[in-house]
Amino acid sequence: MRNASDRSLPKGSIGAKIRKIDPTILMLIVLVIVFSAIFPDRFLTPLNFSSILGQFVTIIVFALGPSMVATIGSMDLSYVGIWMLGGILVWRLIPVVGAPAILVYPLLGLATGFLIGVIQVKVKMPSFILTLSLLVAYSGLTAILSGGYPRIVRGYDFLAARLIPYVPTTLFWSIPLIIVAIFLMKNTKLGAYLYAIGSNEEGARLAGINVEKYKILTFTISGLLTGFGSIVQFKHLGGSVPIALNLNNMTLPLVAIVFGGTLLSGGSGGPDRTVLGTLAFVTLYRGLFITLLPPEILQLVVGLLLVLAIVASSRGLKGVSIT
Amino acid sequence: MNTATPVIELKGITKTFGGVVRALNDVSIAIYPNEVVGVVGENGAGKTTLMKIMAGVFPPDGGEWYYAGQKMSFPKHPREAAQRGVAIVYQEKGVIPALRVYQYLFLGHEDRYAMSLARLKRDEMKTYAERLLREFHIACSVEDFMYNLPPSTQKMVEIARAILSLRLEHGGDDTASVVILDEPTAPLNIEERQELFNYIKKMKATTSFILVSHIMHEVLEFTDRVYVLRDGKLVSHYNLSEEKVTEEDLFKAIVGREFIPETRISETADVNREEVVLVAQNLTRKGSYYDISFELHRGECIGFFGPTGSGKSEIIKSIAGILDFHQGTLFIKGKEASSKEIPHTRLAKGVGYFCGETEKQLFFNWPVRKNISIVNMESILRKRFPIIDFRMEKQMAGKIVQKFKIRTPSIEAECQSLSGGNKQKISVGKWFERNPEILLLEDPTIGIDVGARRDIYEALLEMKERKIAIILVSDDPKEYSMLCDKIIFLKGGRVQKVLSSQEFKEVIAT
Amino acid sequence: MAALDLRKLVRGNLSTITSLVAAVIIIIIFQATNPFFLSPAGRVTLVYAMSYFLIAACGLTMVIVMGSFDFSVVSLLKMAALLCALYMDAVGLWVIPLALLVCGGLGFINGLLFARFKVPSFLATLGMSVVVEGMALYLSRGFLHVIDNPAFRSLSVTFLAGLPSIFYWAMAVWAVCIFIAFCTPFGRRIFAIGGNPVAASLCGIDVVKTRIYVFMMSGLLAGLAGILYMAQFGGGSIEIGADMSVPLFASIVAGGTALSGGWGGPHRTLLGVILITWTQAGMSMLALGHDVQLVVFALIAIGMSVLTTDRGSLKIVK
């Protein structure tokens, strides 16, 4: 759709040049300029820069996997569950097995993703209800295993030891995840297959693609990415393991995915778009935050943004059956 | 030619769906090198099923597969079929809009371009894709998204993809391979059709083609041999180089029945020229039809006649409110109807739409009773309070079941348990009961047997006698000569000529 | 012959029988482990636990029968409860129509986003629920609120024949929903859209309008449930988290309404709600915490969806 609008514009004009820029990048640039102009003393500070990067990490590690799932038109909401349950399992296992306990995160992510994939494909249960149910089950399990108190996992400090001032070290740990996700989508056949399944599942099957296998694979990869992301996340947030489900943790990665321009109906977008979307959203969020809006209003604004972004990204879904 | 060994030969193919519907019954076909073979038949005759078996989409229940004279098992997978030299271009649903052209061309065959870490040699893929596009004279870039291409280019890319998959899987050159084209020309305009067939003629030197088509003159002009399927059986086979076959011969073989004698032919009704129920003025839907004007009178039946892709189906859908139109005006009973109206609004104005595809008409998990009453809610409500009167609903359903001789255990039986003909009768029955002032019919007897057809024709004639105005769109000329008072010939979305029913019969007869 | 018919009957009503058997089993288990379970006091607890839940579940059932999903029921329920607590002092009992209006309006927006703007329903309602939570947070500012208006409280806690009035409200709503679903053309249209949206549109049903009405209905019932919930508890912190949507959803599929739409109905939901809320109450009486309950309900939700989905007729599920 972007390309179509490009062609109708005369070449060389400034309007055409601006329109050629990706809308998410454009939004990012505009946001930075606007906030810098209005609050130069608060927005253009190293501290704010650091906060933006910090929040970027929080969101991106959960948004990468689900954004791959979104390209096949499904939903994966299980990320917060993997993070919570994984954390409490690590806390339980550290006294027993020591430092390797951290590997519980990716293993749990892998197993969860595979389970979701198999159930979704074999049972044909809508993925968002399935993953939501699993999320709730995991949060319940976390609370049971924790004994009712939020727990702190000690150790693994090297993950978050500050190397460069104002730049969270966890950012460097999230970069390999981002690269792997983008590599899978851009440089292997997986990207084309997922787009094909998301845009025309019947057609993909007729082209000889084993749709069920790739759907399961997608959920599994998403779970695995979330599992590794959870390692980054848990140290990023100071090693604490939450035991109560927070709606915001679940919503923000979704907002970031939608902000990046990934259509939730499938067939477009992916992790690369989500990185941009997360940056744009975090900039906006921090910009609103430094306006000193009360937190209640901030949440309201986030909700409205989500609705608007979803409406905008659902436009042009002609002939797509909706549920 | 027949002395050579066939490239692909299928013998005694049988296939049933769901244990009930026999889609193919003992069908044998052979494809020789360097020929174009036509496969024709009505909708539901089994053409697509046969092609899908050949292309490895699903295996048959019984039969044998020979490749270059050697017996082999049936391909279980489209790629396996491609390795044996068979590729297919689907009528619809084959295009994947979200992919770039080169991604689509190589879809399913990426493994040949994988390096370490499953990384793809994208530049190599693109170069090959570019060469292929040049070879086919397809005007697009390999980086274009499929959804940005016009439908005709999409079709060309699809055909290129089929040939590419053969080259990759079957061997470097195109010899001893078969490409199946299922209704390839539907989205193409005339010049593009010509271009496509020119290309096929050139390719014939190395590859064989199967052309599945509804368009008779194309089949006669461009194929060497024709197989005719009817109700899952192979009924005729013509070798066009040896015998002279006309469109009419082919047509008779496809339909397989002379006119059903028991069915009455509608007398050209004494249409009251004063009472106009529907007027179309210069209706235009870009890309589908242009400047369509006509007047429909009470009790009159107008038919739109033309090949698939002539715009007839879009015209009737626009009148039903399923599609919009871009220019012109539509008056229903004297009042102008906006192009944005939905079927609900049109039905409230007295326009009912009936099409032969039962999955668009019926709720399969519902009993017969509810399926009949769904369009007749107003007439089964209690007088005082608008709730459903179940007694009246049962009476209505019972009446229709009896009148149409619908074979069902009871009016409470679920629709999905009934046969195709009986399902069709239910959906005709509900409109019969509704009795709209204007009824739009699209392929009213698609894919059902002769007996059920006769009952449905009877009902349609009775509705016409009840002074319902009808617009008909169908693939079967017999239906036009039976029902219509006026037939509008369409070609390329424009009116070519308007014939009376008498003139139409003469045209069909010659 | 009789045996054959019986087998057919069992096969045709498998999900109903499963739920019924499950309900009987949990009653027996909890009665055995806790003799107070079915005592008069225990009965009142059970009725309190299921009533507001049933009202909200009826609305959601209608949406699911239509083949869609409403994630915002819990948020709207909280919103209505909060509005009652906040504005009872200012406007008195007028707060009830006010809360219903707000929830109906939010339901309308849900419907509009889904039917008119073609946003997948669970996403539209997920977004709306974030907005509503934000509004609720803003309005309440995190404080606790208590209602001591006796007229308002009497809505739910007046005892008739040994049971509180909220129970009769719930049964009345349930009956009305069954009536709407099966005796009115509107109900028939809901099932039609859930079963086959294309055919529904071609049969002259105004799909967009019907969808909006159903989402409004779901919003209104969520609002009503919230009001009665507030009248029942009399205030305090509203102990409903976003995770309540899973038990709510579990109760509907446990009743036998399929997620694929067009099948089931509100009459089945009563059984599912009894199954879920009584399990909840029984577990609470056995001092099994909220966490254990969540795990159990999530598993019931997944398990029952597996049982009730008619996989043969579904081609593509995202």
Side-chain angles (χ1 to χ4, degrees):
Chain A
M1 276 151 256
R2 260 196 319 278
N3 290 23
S5 62
D6 285 347
R7 269 188 216 150
S8 57
L9 287 163
K11 273 177 190 155
S13 75
I14 295 176
K17 272 183 188 156
I18 289 182
R19 294 259 193 104
K20 268 219 173 87
I21 304 174
D22 188 289
T24 311
I25 296 179
L26 194 67
M27 180 164 78
L28 189 59
I29 296 170
V30 169
L31 285 173
V32 170
I33 294 174
V34 167
F35 285 122
S36 313
I38 307 178
F39 312 103
D41 50 334
R42 273 181 266 156
F43 191 77
L44 292 173
T45 59
L47 195 63
N48 188 46
F49 179 62
S50 172
S51 309
I52 288 181
L53 289 182
Q55 201 169 8
F56 172 78
V57 174
T58 330
I59 294 178
I60 194 71
V61 292
F62 285 165
L64 280 175
S67 72
M68 289 177 78
V69 174
T71 60
I72 60 167
S74 294
M75 282 291 248
D76 184 359
L77 303 175
S78 65
Y79 35 87
V80 181
I82 293 172
W83 172 50
M84 287 167 68
L85 183 60
I88 214 70
L89 288 176
V90 172
W91 174 73
R92 285 245 158 182
L93 284 175
I94 278 186
V96 189
V97 296
I102 198 77
L103 291 176
V104 164
Y105 275 122
L107 288 177
L108 181 72
L110 187 76
T112 310
F114 183 69
L115 183 73
I116 292 170
V118 170
I119 296 181
Q120 206 275 328
V121 164
K122 299 291 172 203
V123 175
K124 298 200 177 174
M125 187 174 173
S127 55
F128 82 97
I129 294 184
L130 172 63
T131 51
L132 183 72
S133 304
L134 263 186
L135 162 65
V136 168
Y138 276 22
S139 81
L141 270 178
T142 310
I144 296 170
L145 291 173
S146 70
Y149 298 99
R151 301 292 179 177
I152 302 280
V153 178
R154 313 221 175 266
Y156 310 108
D157 288 331
F158 69 95
L159 285 172
R162 185 136 295 191
L163 301 170
I164 305 169
Y166 295 115
V167 178
T169 309
T170 42
L171 179 67
F172 300 118
W173 296 111
S174 66
I175 286 172
L177 293 178
I178 295 173
I179 291 175
V180 166
I182 294 180
F183 176 83
L184 284 176
M185 277 307 274
K186 288 273 156 193
N187 289 320
T188 71
K189 64 178 179 181
L190 194 68
Y193 281 21
L194 298 194
Y195 285 164
I197 294 171
S199 120
N200 179 357
E201 190 167 326
E202 184 68 23
R205 195 168 283 130
L206 292 176
I209 296 175
N210 186 344
V211 172
E212 300 200 337
K213 182 178 117 184
Y214 280 95
K215 276 186 156 181
I216 295 175
L217 185 65
T218 312
F219 280 107
T220 312
I221 293 174
S222 167
L224 192 62
L225 281 172
T226 304
F228 280 112
S230 301
I231 299 182
V232 179
Q233 184 80 302
F234 112 94
K235 226 39 223 178
H236 183 68
L237 298 181
S240 66
V241 177
I243 55 163
L245 194 56
N246 181 344
L247 193 62
N248 263 351
N249 284 339
M250 195 182 92
T251 335
L252 294 187
L254 274 187
V255 186
I257 293 172
V258 179
F259 252 60
T262 300
L263 294 180
L264 292 170
S265 55
S268 77
D272 53 326
R273 308 289 320 165
T274 301
V275 171
L276 286 178
T278 309
L279 265 180
F281 172 69
V282 167
T283 312
L284 178 62
Y285 190 85
R286 287 301 304 177
L288 292 173
F289 191 78
I290 56 167
T291 58
L292 304 179
L293 278 176
E296 307 94 56
I297 298 268
L298 203 58
Q299 160 141 29
L300 194 59
V301 172
V302 169
L304 286 173
L305 281 174
L306 175 65
V307 173
L308 285 178
I310 291 173
V311 171
S313 77
S314 302
R315 269 180 36 218
L317 291 180
K318 279 191 189 141
V320 174
S321 70
I322 41 176
T323 51
Chain B
M1 194 179 289
N2 284 3
T3 51
T5 325
V7 185
I8 304 283
E9 190 171 7
L10 275 75
K11 282 188 186 163
I13 303 293
T14 305
K15 175 83 188 170
T16 35
F17 284 115
V20 202
V21 190
R22 177 152 282 203
L24 287 176
N25 192 358
D26 193 21
V27 174
S28 303
I29 66 169
I31 314 296
Y32 293 92
N34 312 348
E35 63 170 356
V36 180
V37 177
V39 173
V40 293
E42 290 187 289
N43 284 313
K47 295 170 301 195
T48 306
T49 311
L50 182 64
M51 295 304 120
K52 283 190 171 169
I53 287 172
M54 255 185 132
V57 177
F58 42 66
D61 300 333
E64 289 167 345
W65 161 292
Y66 293 87
Y67 177 71
Q70 279 181 308
K71 191 177 169 184
M72 292 170 116
S73 65
F74 279 90
K76 289 170 206 66
H77 195 259
R79 182 183 297 170
E80 208 176 324
Q83 281 159 359
R84 307 219 198 128
V86 182
I88 183 166
V89 176
Y90 294 97
Q91 180 183 356
E92 51 183 13
K93 287 182 182 163
V95 172
I96 293 172
L99 296 185
R100 290 176 195 275
V101 168
Y102 81 92
Q103 286 179 317
Y104 178 67
L105 282 173
F106 285 94
L107 190 67
H109 308 284
E110 289 86 351
D111 291 342
R112 289 165 188 279
Y113 289 87
M115 298 184 286
S116 58
L117 285 171
R119 208 167 129 209
L120 296 178
K121 298 175 198 158
R122 258 190 297 179
D123 291 334
E124 221 168 289
M125 287 164 78
K126 280 182 202 170
T127 323
Y128 192 176
E130 265 162 17
R131 217 171 62 217
L132 203 71
L133 292 184
R134 269 203 304 278
E135 190 187 331
F136 279 72
H137 304 288
I138 302 173
C140 67
S141 151
V142 292
E143 295 277 2
D144 277 345
F145 281 105
M146 290 296 284
Y147 62 75
N148 269 338
L149 303 179
S152 54
T153 317
Q154 289 187 0
K155 200 77 204 174
M156 301 290 277
V157 175
E158 257 191 284
I159 295 169
R161 180 179 177 276
I163 290 174
L164 178 69
S165 75
L166 286 178
R167 287 186 189 167
L168 289 174
E169 300 291 338
H170 182 57
D173 54 10
D174 302 324
T175 47
S177 57
V178 177
V179 177
I180 304 168
L181 306 172
D182 191 358
E183 299 263 2
T185 53
L188 307 187
N189 65 33
I190 294 157
E191 292 79 27
E192 289 164 333
R193 287 174 189 207
Q194 199 57 48
E195 205 176 305
L196 177 69
F197 284 115
N198 286 344
Y199 184 77
I200 291 174
K201 273 184 181 164
K202 239 189 298 170
M203 289 294 292
K204 225 172 90 172
T206 48
T207 314
S208 303
F209 287 90
I210 299 179
L211 177 68
V212 179
S213 181
H214 275 302
I215 306 172
M216 294 305 138
H217 70 87
E218 282 181 0
V219 175
L220 290 176
E221 198 173 335
F222 297 108
T223 64
D224 302 307
R225 291 186 298 124
V226 182
Y227 288 102
V228 183
L229 286 175
R230 190 201 314 146
D231 301 330
K233 289 187 205 111
L234 193 63
V235 289
S236 305
H237 170 243
Y238 300 102
N239 195 333
L240 297 180
S241 55
E242 288 164 12
E243 41 196 319
K244 180 87 187 83
V245 183
T246 63
E247 282 192 40
E248 202 186 340
D249 298 335
L250 211 50
F251 178 74
K252 275 185 190 149
I254 291 170
V255 180
R257 55 182 177 270
E258 290 305 307
F259 203 69
I260 304 159
E262 290 96 318
T263 313
R264 297 168 291 151
I265 296 180
S266 159
E267 298 304 319
T268 307
D270 47 325
V271 174
N272 185 353
R273 291 282 147 193
E274 303 294 305
E275 243 182 306
V276 180
V277 287
L278 187 135
V279 181
Q281 287 174 348
N282 302 85
L283 284 191
T284 296
R285 182 180 155 82
K286 289 189 187 98
S288 307
Y289 55 83
Y290 301 89
D291 280 329
I292 305 292
S293 301
F294 63 94
E295 283 188 358
L296 182 68
H297 303 88
R298 197 165 131 83
E300 188 185 22
C301 175
I302 295 183
F304 285 95
F305 188 82
T308 313
S310 62
K312 58 178 181 177
S313 138
E314 287 85 356
I315 291 174
I316 204 167
K317 285 198 172 76
S318 290
I319 298 171
I322 302 163
L323 296 175
D324 57 353
F325 50 87
H326 300 133
Q327 277 161 32
T329 37
L330 183 69
F331 294 93
I332 297 169
K333 289 194 271 167
K335 291 203 187 93
E336 190 176 341
S338 133
S339 83
K340 296 243 156 30
E341 284 174 356
I342 55 174
H344 168 74
T345 334
R346 294 279 159 84
L347 184 61
K349 292 183 178 177
V351 183
Y353 169 79
F354 167 75
C355 78
E357 294 167 64
T358 43
E359 63 268 28
K360 287 188 184 165
Q361 288 284 327
L362 297 182
F363 304 91
F364 288 157
N365 65 343
W366 277 12
V368 176
R369 163 177 62 89
K370 287 190 186 177
N371 267 306
I372 289 173
S373 66
I374 186 71
V375 293
N376 298 300
M377 276 293 155
E378 287 82 1
S379 53
I380 54 161
L381 296 184
R382 284 173 199 275
K383 296 281 167 299
R384 297 231 187 95
F385 195 67
I387 61 171
I388 298 167
D389 186 333
F390 291 103
R391 208 171 37 84
M392 279 165 78
E393 190 184 15
K394 277 181 194 151
Q395 273 173 8
M396 176 197 282
K399 203 176 74 190
I400 295 294
V401 167
Q402 213 167 26
K403 175 159 180 57
F404 284 84
K405 302 185 218 76
I406 298 171
R407 260 172 296 166
T408 167
S410 82
I411 54 169
E412 298 300 328
E414 280 188 13
C415 268
Q416 59 201 1
S417 63
L418 307 182
S419 75
N422 283 310
K423 280 182 193 152
Q424 196 86 318
K425 287 184 189 174
I426 295 170
S427 47
V428 174
K430 69 179 183 185
W431 289 109
F432 185 84
E433 179 65 33
R434 168 85 193 198
N435 207 10
E437 278 174 78
I438 304 162
L439 184 64
L440 312 174
L441 299 172
E442 189 174 0
D443 298 323
T445 57
I446 201 169
I448 55 170
D449 59 76
V450 177
R453 259 173 215 253
R454 195 163 53 215
D455 291 343
I456 287 171
Y457 289 147
E458 272 299 326
L460 294 178
L461 287 169
E462 196 180 330
M463 282 158 97
K464 200 185 162 198
E465 278 154 18
R466 279 204 225 150
K467 296 286 173 205
I468 295 177
I470 296 176
I471 298 180
L472 173 74
V473 161
S474 168
D475 285 335
D476 187 348
K478 294 283 190 288
E479 289 176 2
Y480 290 91
S481 52
M482 191 179 67
L483 274 172
C484 293
D485 305 311
K486 194 162 91 178
I487 290 106
I488 300 176
F489 270 66
L490 293 172
K491 198 172 181 186
R494 290 177 194 278
V495 178
Q496 213 185 15
K497 53 186 170 186
V498 181
L499 298 182
S500 73
S501 110
Q502 202 51 45
E503 290 165 325
F504 181 78
K505 275 167 208 155
E506 284 158 19
V507 169
I508 290 297
T510 50
Chain C
M1 193 63 202
L4 197 76
D5 282 349
L6 190 68
R7 200 180 302 159
K8 221 177 185 177
L9 202 70
V10 169
R11 205 169 293 156
N13 298 295
L14 194 64
S15 50
T16 318
I17 292 167
T18 322
S19 326
L20 205 61
V21 170
V24 171
I25 289 175
I26 59 154
I27 291 172
I28 292 171
I29 291 176
F30 286 125
Q31 179 64 26
T33 47
N34 180 353
F36 293 107
F37 190 70
L38 286 180
S39 69
R43 275 209 301 275
V44 171
T45 315
L46 293 181
V47 162
Y48 269 140
M50 70 174 268
S51 297
Y52 78 96
F53 206 91
L54 177 61
I55 297 173
C58 280
L60 184 54
T61 309
M62 294 299 217
V63 176
I64 290 182
V65 164
M66 200 173 63
S68 308
F69 195 78
D70 189 349
F71 193 84
S72 67
V73 169
V74 181
S75 309
L76 291 182
L77 191 155
K78 273 164 82 173
M79 188 70 187
L82 185 73
L83 285 174
C84 289
L86 288 174
Y87 298 114
M88 181 57 76
D89 297 338
V91 294
L93 289 179
W94 283 105
V95 79
I96 296 171
L98 175 80
L100 287 178
L101 197 70
V102 168
C103 289
L106 290 166
F108 174 75
I109 298 176
N110 278 335
L112 209 61
L113 287 174
F114 167 50
R116 184 68 77 193
F117 294 102
K118 313 269 182 232
V119 180
S121 62
F122 77 92
L123 273 175
T125 51
L126 179 66
M128 278 304 287
S129 73
V130 177
V131 173
V132 173
E133 298 272 335
M135 275 159 61
L137 194 64
Y138 174 67
L139 290 175
S140 72
R141 288 164 222 276
F143 292 120
L144 300 181
H145 299 275
V146 180
I147 293 185
D148 43 16
N149 185 330
F152 180 70
R153 296 288 318 267
S154 69
L155 267 182
S156 291
V157 296
T158 315
F159 275 74
L160 286 169
L163 291 170
S165 47
I166 190 173
F167 174 71
Y168 299 104
W169 282 108
M171 294 321 279
V173 166
W174 181 59
V176 168
C177 280
I178 295 176
F179 178 78
I180 290 177
F182 295 105
C183 296
T184 65
F186 178 66
R188 193 62 72 77
R189 290 185 197 123
I190 298 176
F191 278 88
I193 294 173
N196 185 346
V198 175
S201 162
L202 293 184
C203 286
I205 293 172
D206 192 338
V207 176
V208 171
K209 215 186 252 173
T210 310
R211 280 177 166 163
I212 293 178
Y213 286 153
V214 171
F215 272 89
M216 277 177 78
M217 189 174 156
S218 166
L220 269 179
L221 288 181
L224 183 62
I227 293 167
L228 293 174
Y229 175 84
M230 207 55 185
Q232 173 185 327
F233 281 86
S237 69
I238 300 167
E239 287 178 357
I240 304 171
D243 43 22
M244 176 188 157
S245 59
V246 167
L248 195 61
F249 158 70
S251 71
I252 291 161
V253 285
T257 298
L259 279 175
S260 37
W263 175 248
H267 61 302
R268 294 171 162 272
T269 299
L270 178 65
L271 206 56
V273 167
I274 287 179
L275 190 71
I276 294 293
T277 57
W278 290 14
T279 310
Q280 199 168 17
M283 288 166 83
S284 299
M285 284 183 202
L286 291 177
L288 283 170
H290 182 62
D291 329 319
V292 186
Q293 295 171 14
L294 280 186
V295 178
V296 172
F297 297 143
L299 294 181
I300 292 179
I302 297 174
M304 286 307 294
S305 309
V306 174
L307 280 181
T308 54
T309 311
D310 176 14
R311 279 172 288 285
S313 64
L314 284 177
K315 264 195 150 164
I316 292 170
V317 175
K318 293 285 185 187

